[in-house]
Amino acid sequence: MDQTERRAEDRRHDHEMAGTVSEALAFQRAFGDDAAQRFLKMRGIEGEVAQQALLDNYDRRQANRRAIARAAI
């Protein structure tokens, strides 16, 4: 397996993971943290990794929204 093939496989996995985390974030907004963490656990993402995925994505999205709002002023 060469470097290009390995990167393609990593991207596909990351894309799938990003979709799973996006779904979990929707669960988090609708039903709370526990529901989002249970959703991730059912998908094989548990513990500290699941908590960090939810927190990091939330913080990053909030920072992006604040930056866009500042730029609009």
Side-chain angles (χ1 to χ4, degrees), residues 3-42:
Q3 189 75 6
T4 305
E5 289 175 350
R6 188 166 54 92
R7 286 183 187 153
E9 286 183 9
D10 288 345
R11 279 194 299 265
R12 278 195 297 270
H13 179 69
D14 288 344
H15 183 69
E16 291 173 14
M17 183 71 69
T20 301
V21 170
S22 293
E23 288 182 65
L25 290 170
F27 270 82
Q28 184 181 38
R29 286 189 299 273
F31 306 111
D33 291 332
D34 291 336
Q37 287 183 5
R38 280 193 301 268
F39 175 81
L40 288 174
K41 186 174 182 178
M42 290 185 336

Side-chain angles (χ1 to χ4, degrees), residues 21 25 28-29 33 51-66:
V21 170
L25 290 170
Q28 184 181 38
R29 286 189 299 273
D33 291 332
Q51 290 175 350
Q52 288 300 321
L54 294 172
L55 289 174
D56 289 345
N57 278 300
Y58 178 79
D59 292 342
R60 188 178 326 121
R61 288 175 186 214
Q62 292 302 316
N64 287 341
R65 288 182 184 143
R66 282 189 223 110

